[in-house]
Amino acid sequence: MSPVVIFAIFSFLLGAAVGSFLNVCIFRLPAGESVVSPPSRCPVCGARIRPWHNIPILGWLILRGKCRDCGASISPRYPFVELLNGLLTLALFLKFGPTPTFLVLFVFCSALVAVTFIDLDHQIIPDVISLPGIVVGFACSFALPWLGWKSSLIGIVAGGGSLLAVAWLYELLTKKEGMGGGDIKLLAMMGAFLGWRSVPFIIFASSLIGSVIGVTLMLVQKKDTKLAIPFGPFLAAGAVLYIFFGKAIITWYLTLGAR
């Protein structure tokens, strides 16, 4: 096999392995538990999971989606998160190759996967992810010429400031809290990793995706506009879209407007 194929396979396995750790973070962080100890265990009977059953994706298939000790069902979301992070890591490698950009965005996208599922489950975005993420993103900007510390710093201010202004205005007009502080910190983290140019794109893309999915859910579930939908997953989707297709979409849009 060529070196490129070997690196591609390795990138997928790396992403899937980290995805297994993300499952731990998704389950434990909202509960305030350590992600290091105790070792992985069945949430029903508490039995420790054997090392070979912790193999990403394959472990769930070997167990046939059930705990070996008590027979309780193991959610298929566990292998899904591992597969998702593996494919996302592979896509990053195919786009950026074995470069510092790949490593930085691998860390960033893995954090987005954890944020997405935590927000879906609990409608919170843990500060333990977003706040260190802002610092890490800004620190990495010094090593990435395409980003630069100035763009990262402006991205932090623009990302957090824009949503803070929207949240403040919404609360002023409606007397209700419409956006949590977690979303504000998350967009600041995105600005730190991707620079200020990403912020307008992420806001527009996430709002568009969120509107389409939100309206669809309201129609299907026959609920009114008070239906609470976490915004973090849409911000994450907007950031991933920017990484892979942002420049192409922006160029297409500007070309379309010039006609």
Side-chain angles (χ1 to χ4, degrees):
M1 290 188 292
S2 68
V4 174
V5 174
I6 294 175
F7 274 114
I9 294 174
F10 174 77
S11 67
F12 174 80
L13 295 177
L14 172 65
V18 171
S20 181
F21 174 70
L22 295 181
N23 277 320
V24 177
C25 296
I26 292 166
F27 183 79
R28 296 189 184 184
L29 285 181
E33 299 179 5
S34 170
V35 298
V36 178
S37 63
S40 297
R41 60 195 186 279
C42 173
V44 178
C45 69
R48 182 173 176 177
I49 297 177
R50 283 77 168 173
W52 53 91
H53 291 156
N54 255 333
I55 300 173
I57 304 171
L58 292 179
W60 187 87
L61 294 174
I62 293 172
L63 290 171
R64 298 181 180 180
K66 294 182 179 180
C67 173
R68 180 182 176 181
D69 294 273
C70 69
S73 296
I74 301 174
S75 172
R77 200 177 74 177
Y78 287 97
F80 176 77
V81 169
E82 294 163 352
L83 178 62
L84 173 63
N85 207 58
L87 292 175
L88 191 55
T89 306
L90 174 60
L92 288 171
F93 173 79
L94 294 177
K95 184 173 179 64
F96 300 104
T99 62
T101 296
F102 162 73
L103 292 176
V104 170
L105 294 183
F106 162 64
V107 172
F108 174 64
C109 288
S110 295
L112 293 185
V113 171
V115 163
T116 293
F117 288 97
I118 291 175
D119 205 15
L120 286 173
D121 286 344
H122 305 281
Q123 296 191 3
I124 60 171
I125 298 174
D127 287 347
V128 71
I129 294 178
S130 58
L131 293 182
I134 294 173
V135 177
V136 171
F138 181 64
C140 290
S141 68
F142 289 89
L144 301 176
W146 59 267
L147 179 55
W149 70 268
K150 291 182 180 179
S151 179
S152 177
L153 182 59
I154 296 173
I156 295 171
V157 177
S162 59
L163 283 194
L164 181 62
V166 170
W168 177 81
L169 183 61
Y170 181 88
E171 187 172 354
L172 180 67
L173 295 175
T174 65
K175 308 300 180 182
K176 299 177 182 179
E177 184 178 346
M179 183 171 295
D183 296 321
I184 296 170
K185 298 166 193 172
L186 178 61
L187 188 55
M189 184 185 84
M190 293 174 175
F193 274 95
L194 302 178
W196 68 267
R197 292 177 180 83
S198 69
V199 173
F201 180 95
I202 293 172
I203 292 175
F204 176 79
S206 60
S207 299
L208 179 61
I209 298 170
S211 297
V212 172
I213 294 179
V215 171
T216 302
L217 287 176
M218 284 188 288
L219 291 175
V220 172
Q221 299 181 12
K222 297 181 180 180
K223 294 186 178 181
D224 57 20
T225 55
K226 296 181 180 179
L227 177 65
I229 301 175
F231 194 51
F234 302 128
L235 287 172
V240 172
L241 274 177
Y242 179 80
I243 290 172
F244 291 103
F245 308 108
K247 291 183 179 179
I249 293 175
I250 292 172
T251 300
W252 170 80
Y253 181 77
L254 293 177
T255 303
L256 188 67
R259 293 180 181 176

